[in-house]
Amino acid sequence: MPLAVRIHPFAAAVTAATVAAVIHLRRRRAHINAMGSTLLVLFAKSNEELKLAQSLKLKFETTTDALKVSEEEKEVKVLLGSDVGSTCQVNFGVGLYMDSLVATRFGRLLLWSPRLSSTHDLVSKNFHELPLGTVCITDIQFKGRGRSKNVWDSPLGCLLFSFTLQMEDGRKLPLLQYIVSLAVTEAIKQLCRDKGLPQLDVKIKWPNDLYLEGLKVGGILCTSSYQSKFFNVSAGVGLNVDNEKPTTCLNTVLEKLRPNSSKLTREEILASFFNKFEELFDIFLNEGFNVLEDLYCKTWLHSGQKVVIEEKIDGRSIQSEVTIKGLTSSGYLLATDKQKNSYELHPDGNSFDFFKGLVRRKLE
Ligand SMILES: O=C(O)CCCC[C@@H]1SC[C@@H]2NC(=O)N[C@@H]21
């Protein structure tokens, strides 16, 4: 039976105006997309950082090629958050994000775009232009990058961001991805506590995947280049917050644990991430990974996991079983066999699944 709905005349007027505005916006956005234009909006936490944002905008506007973008992003429009008018809608609650951010070095200058090829490409190509700790976030990526040149599916509802940092000690660099992973899992836990929500037990699958209830919900990508005694690092995170496809997402699991509870937002997770990351990164730099290893091993999926290693000895294939115990100082898997010999396990690079085709090196 059809439902009769009575609309208040004022509501009807508002609805008509809203519909017209939405149609106008959609047409305009469709026009922008058809022309291949890209919009980048700069936001800052403090007045000091706002000045940096203003000078960045000026530089990008006045110097040819100051902003390096992918081929697909030929026409780039850079705006300050305060310049955004009614023709463009920022689909990210910058106010909520900035209010929740207490980190003093990371995430305070934010570049938002409705659609980018890859936030990772944007920050790594412009590493030297962007103040350290700048974050780039987008709603959708059309050329998202995963590790080993994989494509990273980046639909709406995912938290997709990359940020910059510098490191001096090359021995610590391979371990940085673990700090980023841990900052994501700890940030989600903290947020669930703060909001009185059930705990989401997001786990780390070594080396850089995030799993929830046995399904992949995210991944970490860290790339670096070396210049003048520093490693310039671009760190990227993809996390499925709100889109049930292709696996599951944080909010679907929350809904299952407690129906009708409030949800996690990208804004809160991003701020909580930087708050945690700054804390963990400082511990990592000042005291080393050892101090965090316990927490890392409690958060990953592998303690006590048995792995079969296949080796060719004299042309014959020999299988042996080892047990994962933790990480070695260089960030690879530490394992022991039944005779209590210790090994470092390395991926052989041929398989998408890191746990297939592991190669072992005996440790003294
Ligand atoms: O392969 C992996 O598991 C890592 C995936 C990392 C994806 C994120 S999404 C935001 C940032 N931009 C990219 O293009 N990649 C990273």
Side-chain angles (χ1 to χ4, degrees), residues 105-169:
R105 306 191 316 276
F106 294 100
R108 297 174 65 91
L109 196 77
L110 179 136
L111 280 80
W112 171 84
S113 175
R115 187 173 176 271
L116 269 187
S117 56
S118 156
T119 56
H120 209 80
D121 287 350
L122 193 112
V123 301
S124 49
K125 283 184 181 163
N126 296 286
F127 191 94
H128 296 288
E129 300 301 338
L130 303 172
L132 281 174
T134 298
V135 58
C136 174
I137 173 167
T138 188
D139 298 341
I140 296 177
Q141 292 181 139
F142 55 89
K143 244 187 177 178
R145 293 215 291 126
R147 62 156 198 262
S148 323
K149 300 207 171 119
N150 293 318
V151 175
W152 184 260
D153 201 12
S154 315
L156 266 182
C158 292
L159 174 61
L160 307 161
F161 70 95
S162 301
F163 66 103
T164 62
L165 62 96
Q166 260 181 344
M167 283 177 71
E168 232 179 323
D169 187 348

